[in-house]
Amino acid sequence: MPPPAEIIRSKRDGAALSSDDIDGFVQGLVDGSWSDAQAAALAMAIVWRGMDERETTALTRAMTHSGQVLHWQAEAFGKPAIDKHSTGGVGDKLSLMLAPMLAACGAVVPMISGRGLGHTGGTLDKLQALPGYRVQVEPDEFARVLHAAGCAIVSAGPQLAPADRRLYALRDVTATVESVPLITASILSKKLAAGLDALVLDVKCGAGAFAPTPAAARALAESLVRVGNAAGLPTRALITDQDAVLGHTAGNALEVQEALDFLTGRDGGAGRDTEPVQRAVTLALGAQLLVLAGLAPDEPEALAMLQHSLVSGRAAEHFARMVRALGGPADVLADAQLTQAPVQRPVPAPRAGVVSAMDTRALGLAVVALGGGRLKPGDTVDPRVGLSQVRPRGTALAAGEPLALVHAASEAAAAEAVRAVQAAFTLADTAPPRPAAVQHLVG
Ligand code: URA
């Protein structure tokens, strides 16, 4: 096998890497024989030179097998193991709603989730707003929770795709996150190691996403779908709108509360009052998965099953069982034990008008600045802070009416956030066109 510098040189000069080169790199990530500098240099060469589909598939496979690969057959669930994964958004609490809905529709959902990244929130940070909720589980406990609740949202743990763990940490600090082959291998290696039978990806597109343009989102979605299927995992992707905050909240405890309101119907009944993009994307992702996994014959039937999981209260029950099994509140539906931030301040609209646009990335960064995300690895996250009552696009407001409500740990932090949120909203005289929640289906 060529030494690391030769492999880096090949990619630097634009060559395609052989499977042996790629295996050597991944092995070196795990056994430490590649230094941080060498691994980061190859990552940067890949950012610039790209990888073809064969290389991306080889990298994905090697990273998948860099650790334990779970197989659920021995558990005899008698149900397909399915999952959805989002490329990251602001207010993106869809996993909290969808995992129990899918469980209620007859699937098992071993969902490996992540922490917040940059301006986007992370599902694990949200769930840890529930006192006691454990995200770190050994494989046997993972299986026990799946038997008890049908769904388990946990972290990858050191045994799953350890090559991605090391490479991701290096990419995060060397400006090498934004690369279609690297994102593809990173996401899919964890999903393939989780032993899934079907996967649907929510590729977010817009101001709040890592893929800001339709072309970028399309390239990422196509790569994920092609490589996922080539690696033997039936995979589809939806490209969905992230030009606005999803739902009404952004911030960990606030998002958990919104998800609970959706699941229990406290938001007006089966998610009826939910902001329309959030509701439409949740149902569309769920329907694709149920059809892909053979749990529903077609999309209309799948949508009916998902609706029933809400109105029957079964999705909410599955969520409660998962939370209890993972050490969270014993009856999360009755008392989620979420704590409130001490300071709450409305953000007044500076003029009368219709909400026509919002700088979603800026809103995500405002939540991070309030303490709801990390500025550097290891920072602690304040679960209480964030935004609620975020007005969706198309809302008509009088001057001074709230654009959103800021939840902050201090008056100073609240004042700063009020300014940032005000600046992030655009008010116009006429309503904007209604966005398409789902822009494309790939696969
Ligand atoms: N999420 C991941 O898991 N990996 C990436 O590279 C980007 C988003």
Side-chain angles (χ1 to χ4, degrees):
M1 194 167 300
E6 288 310 305
I7 297 174
I8 298 164
R9 184 192 304 271
S10 292
K11 184 46 78 184
R12 182 200 69 188
D13 294 345
L17 299 181
S18 70
S19 296
D20 278 354
D21 294 339
I22 290 169
D23 287 347
F25 167 53
V26 172
Q27 184 60 42
L29 283 170
V30 178
D31 67 18
S33 59
W34 279 55
S35 70
D36 284 356
Q38 289 169 326
L42 184 60
M44 187 57 90
I46 293 170
V47 167
W48 277 97
R49 292 296 194 169
M51 277 183 146
D52 63 24
E53 197 174 316
R54 180 197 56 76
E55 292 173 283
T56 310
T57 305
L59 181 62
T60 304
R61 276 189 209 279
M63 292 199 351
T64 303
H65 292 284
S66 66
Q68 191 176 1
V69 177
L70 303 176
H71 297 284
W72 299 111
Q73 287 82 352
E75 295 298 330
F77 289 122
K79 302 169 176 180
I82 64 178
D83 193 6
K84 91 99 172 75
H85 185 83
S86 156
T87 53
V90 180
D92 184 358
K93 70 226 29 108
L94 268 54
S95 292
L96 307 187
M97 310 188 308
L98 203 46
M101 289 167 73
L102 293 167
C105 291
V108 278
V109 189
M111 189 176 273
I112 306 283
S113 291
R115 302 268 173 206
L117 180 68
H119 65 283
T120 67
T123 300
L124 299 182
D125 293 330
K126 297 176 215 264
L127 282 166
Q128 286 196 309
L130 294 165
Y133 190 101
R134 280 178 295 108
V135 299
Q136 205 89 48
V137 293
E138 294 298 322
D140 57 340
E141 190 182 2
F142 197 4
R144 260 202 317 278
V145 179
L146 288 171
H147 276 294
C151 54
I153 307 179
V154 298
S155 82
Q159 65 277 33
L160 288 195
D164 178 62
R165 179 175 291 254
R166 178 156 177 233
L167 183 58
Y168 195 85
L170 289 172
R171 288 168 58 215
D172 202 18
V173 293
T174 56
T176 50
V177 171
E178 292 89 346
S179 152
V180 165
L182 291 177
I183 295 177
T184 300
S186 171
I187 290 178
L188 288 180
S189 60
K190 287 171 287 202
K191 296 293 156 185
L192 287 159
L196 299 177
D197 298 310
L199 173 67
V200 169
L201 293 144
D202 181 7
V203 177
K204 303 246 166 254
C205 175
F210 288 118
T213 63
R218 194 69 179 250
L220 181 55
E222 283 174 358
S223 170
L224 285 160
V225 167
R226 275 204 301 265
V227 174
N229 283 302
L233 174 59
T235 305
R236 285 183 189 163
L238 294 181
I239 299 178
T240 67
D241 174 63
Q242 179 73 101
D243 261 333
V245 170
L246 276 157
H248 299 297
T249 58
N252 297 305
L254 296 163
E255 290 188 49
V256 171
Q257 188 59 58
E258 187 177 357
L260 279 166
D261 291 346
F262 176 88
L263 289 169
T264 56
R266 285 191 292 246
D267 65 352
R272 264 196 287 280
D273 281 357
T274 302
E275 181 270 320
V277 172
Q278 172 167 275
R279 178 183 163 70
V281 174
T282 304
L283 292 173
L285 290 165
Q288 287 300 325
L289 263 173
L290 293 181
V291 173
L292 190 60
L295 287 167
D298 52 34
E299 276 179 53
E301 181 64 23
L303 288 170
M305 289 166 68
L306 292 162
Q307 291 286 4
H308 184 68
S309 78
L310 292 170
V311 291
S312 64
R314 293 197 58 231
E317 275 167 34
H318 279 270
F319 186 77
R321 275 192 253 154
M322 172 183 78
V323 169
R324 193 178 318 123
L326 284 163
D331 186 358
V332 74
L333 303 180
D335 180 11
Q337 301 174 27
L338 297 166
T339 44
Q340 289 216 336
V343 181
Q344 295 173 16
R345 293 285 170 267
V347 182
R351 52 160 279 196
V354 182
V355 175
S356 65
M358 59 186 90
D359 180 343
T360 313
R361 187 167 185 278
L363 292 172
L365 288 173
V367 175
V368 174
L370 281 164
R374 294 175 191 77
L375 293 169
K376 54 181 185 338
D379 280 354
T380 39
V381 165
D382 185 343
R384 306 166 302 171
V385 302
L387 309 175
S388 68
Q389 299 175 31
V390 178
R391 298 288 181 245
R393 284 162 295 181
T395 310
L397 295 171
E401 275 195 286
L403 294 162
L405 188 65
V406 164
H407 298 245
S410 68
E411 287 291 351
E416 179 86 5
V418 166
R419 275 193 297 277
V421 172
Q422 214 174 33
F425 274 82
T426 305
L427 292 158
D429 295 331
T430 51
R434 209 182 159 85
V438 177
Q439 296 168 0
H440 279 291
L441 167 66
V442 178

